[in-house]
Each structure stands twice: as structure tokens, then as C-alpha cells.
Amino acid sequence: MNYRKFQADKIFTGFEFLDPGHVLIMDQDGKVMEVVAEMDAGEGIERYKGILCPGFINAHCHLELSHLKNAIPPHTGLIPFLLDVVTKREHDEALILDSIEKAEKEMALEGIVAVGDICNTNITLQTKRKSKIKWNNFIEVLGMRDEKAEANLLQYEGVLKAFTDAAVNLEADAFKSSLVPHAPYSISNKTFEGINNRTSHSIVSMHSQENPAEDELYRKGTGDFIHFFNKLGLAESPFPVTGKSSLQSCLPHFNKKQRVILVHNTFTSAEDIVFALDHAKEHLSGIHFCICANANCYIENRMPPIDLLIKNKAEIILGTDSYSSNWQLSIASEIRTIRKALPEIPLQLLLQWATINGARALEREDELGSFETGKKPGIVLLDNALQARKII
């Protein structure tokens, strides 16, 4: 059998850096055979300048919003941003499909091999059926009223069925699909209960604490979200006042060994991080904090408390969010943004977030995320400026 042999200034395995004296060997299908010393690799080595690392995992994206590129101004804050998405997302279907296709190609060329993608509809199916990327399709439920909970859930189960039906004709594990809540400010208690009952041992993604108003809504029943609800035709908040943060109010709805991905976390406190980790130990199979640094800067012009997450040993993963809230769909760009803001974070740690941590969060670590024998993780080349391009 013919093998491909790769060497670079550094090889990042998904866990650690190896020095230039190592060679990564793969078969023609991209399966890792082994990593060996250069003296044992033989001839035919492909040599690269920069860092070779496993394909990137984009743990949070909204592919179906790709047509909103440059449509929403930056730095508006969350609530004006949400209203813009609601009012601007409807467009000509041909434009939406073309934008989805272009965004998928952009991610593939940047070396993204798996995506946790938020889906409100099944419009991305046309592109995903042909894609080489692995997709975790998170069918996002919105439902503010208890009395409409079952009807809403049935509607989104119809979207879920479209993805599960499509998966039958695809390569194994090309799709993993599940129902997920949108955010604490858009899901009623009964809707949370319905999602929990339908997602035992599944992966659940939820937007969390993107704005201080989210906590105020649950602590006091006041704040900027009341204006948001008024715009949607609601006279008052449909959510209970708990006296607790939004995260502490809503995370307990999940108790069936789900793996939970909390997205954005821009205003998450140390107390909330500890609460989430403690809840996960007893009730969940895992919890992950997804940082979408460029989207955080685009919407709130603020970085999340990454230092607190690291200090509390939270498992961090990376996402891009959507073209409605980002300038590009690039995990390498997310790494550069975090590195610029927090240069003290070791590059090795950032690359772990982008590879093995993300693979674990999407339950794809058996195939992706690291250069371990038998896996087919893809290869990304990072140059000295941390610009990325796909090698395999």
C-alpha cells in the first residue's frame, strides 16, 4: 500500500506539539497509520513550513444565515441584533442556497472537518448532502409559551425528521441530529421539559448569557428583554422570576445525561461556571463552553471571561457563529482573535480547543480531533501568521 508522509516545522497532535524530527504517516484514504521519527520514515516525505494539525472543529455555526453577510451592522448589542435577524432573515431562496454553498466551501478550504450547526429549517440539506464535512445538526426550538409547547415541538420534530431521513443515504455518522433549545429568553418551562424528555444521552447546544439583560430577566423580571418581547407582540415577560441567573435557572431542565454545549458565555460569572460544572457531574454526560470570539466582538464588542473558564478547568471549544455576526467562518481567525486579546494563552491550549476538545463535544473523537492511529482527522496547515489551509 502507498502511504503519504508529512513533516513540518511542528506537528500538533491534537494534544501536544512534536518537534520537526517527526513524520506523520497516513494511508491514501487519510487514515492515520502512525507518527514516527524521521529516520524511520523512509523516502517520499512531503515537507511543509508551519504547523500541521488535525482538522478543525467548528462547534457552533448557523449555516442557514450565511446570506446575512454584511447585512447587520456590528456592535449593536444583542437585542438590536436579534431584532435585525428576525426582520432580515427572509430572502429569495436561490440567494440563501447560494450563500450556504459558498460558506460550506469556505469552511472546508480552511480545514474545518466537523460543524455543530444550528438549524431552524431544513434549507441546508441540499448542501450538506454533498459535503465532506461531518455535521451535527442542532434543530433549534423556539417557544416562549407553555400552551404552545407541544405544537412547537411537533413542528421542529418535522425538521429533525428531514435530517434523520436524509442521513439514511449518507456515510455513517455524516449527520448527527438532535433537538436543542435556542436560549433561556426564548424557551418556556414546558418547552424545556419537552426537549429534555426527547434528548436523553443526546448532544444539546444552547446560547447562554450573551447579554446582562438575560440574567436580569430571570433575577427580577425586568430589563431590556421586556422591550424585545414587546416588539414580538408580548405585553410582558413569559418567563418566571427565579432570583437566579439565567444559566442557574435553565440548565437544571437538562438531567438525562445529555452532553451540553453552552454557547457564547459572554457574561458568565465564576459562580455560574462552578454551578454548571457541578450540575454536569450529577446529571449530564459532559458540559462544554463554546467561545465564538469574533461574534462576541461583532455583537457586544466584548470577549467572554476565558480566564475564568481556564481557572475553573472548564472544557473550552471554539465556534464561528454565523455570517450575520462574523466577518468570516474560520476557526483559525477565532484563534488569532483570542491570541491577540489574551497572548498569555499557550498556542497548544488554543489548538486543543479547536481540535480534540471540539471533537469530544460533538462526540466525534473516535474519528476526528487528533493524529491517533486509525483516525481520519484531516490535516490543516497553519503558517507563521496562523492562516490556515486544508492539506487533506
Side-chain angles (χ1 to χ4, degrees), residues 304-318:
I306 295 175
D307 55 338
L308 292 181
L309 292 167
I310 294 172
K311 181 180 179 181
N312 285 281
K313 297 182 171 57
E315 182 138 316
I316 299 174
I317 56 180
L318 301 182

Side-chain angles (χ1 to χ4, degrees), residues 46 74 91 112 126 237 242 309 312 324 330 378:
E46 301 175 35
H91 249 285
I112 291 171
Q126 181 174 310
S237 169
T242 65
L309 292 167
N312 285 281
S324 67
S330 164

Side-chain angles (χ1 to χ4, degrees), residues 275-295:
F275 174 87
L277 295 174
D278 287 344
H279 179 79
K281 287 175 186 175
E282 187 172 352
H283 299 289
L284 306 175
S285 65
I287 194 160
H288 309 264
F289 292 80
C290 185
I291 303 301
C292 305
N294 285 327

Side-chain angles (χ1 to χ4, degrees), residues 134-148:
K134 305 286 187 180
W135 298 93
N136 284 58
N137 303 297
F138 295 133
I139 313 307
E140 184 180 71
V141 177
L142 294 99
M144 297 183 182
R145 296 287 196 180
D146 274 348
E147 62 269 25
K148 295 183 178 180

Side-chain angles (χ1 to χ4, degrees), residues 115-122 124-125 128-129 133-141 156-181 195 198-205 258-259 261 361-364:
V115 178
D117 191 47
I118 301 298
C119 310
N120 301 117
T121 71
N122 64 9
T124 58
L125 262 178
K128 288 175 178 174
R129 283 193 185 101
I133 293 172
K134 305 286 187 180
W135 298 93
N136 284 58
N137 303 297
F138 295 133
I139 313 307
E140 184 180 71
V141 177
Y156 290 108
E157 284 182 315
V159 179
L160 176 63
K161 186 175 186 300
F163 282 95
T164 54
D165 287 351
V168 173
N169 298 315
L170 299 175
E171 179 184 329
D173 282 343
F175 284 6
K176 293 176 183 280
S177 303
S178 58
L179 292 179
V180 304
I195 298 171
R198 289 164 169 82
T199 57
S200 175
H201 293 86
S202 297
I203 307 170
V204 171
S205 173
Q258 294 94 339
R259 182 176 298 278
I261 297 172
L362 299 187
E363 296 186 350
R364 294 186 178 277

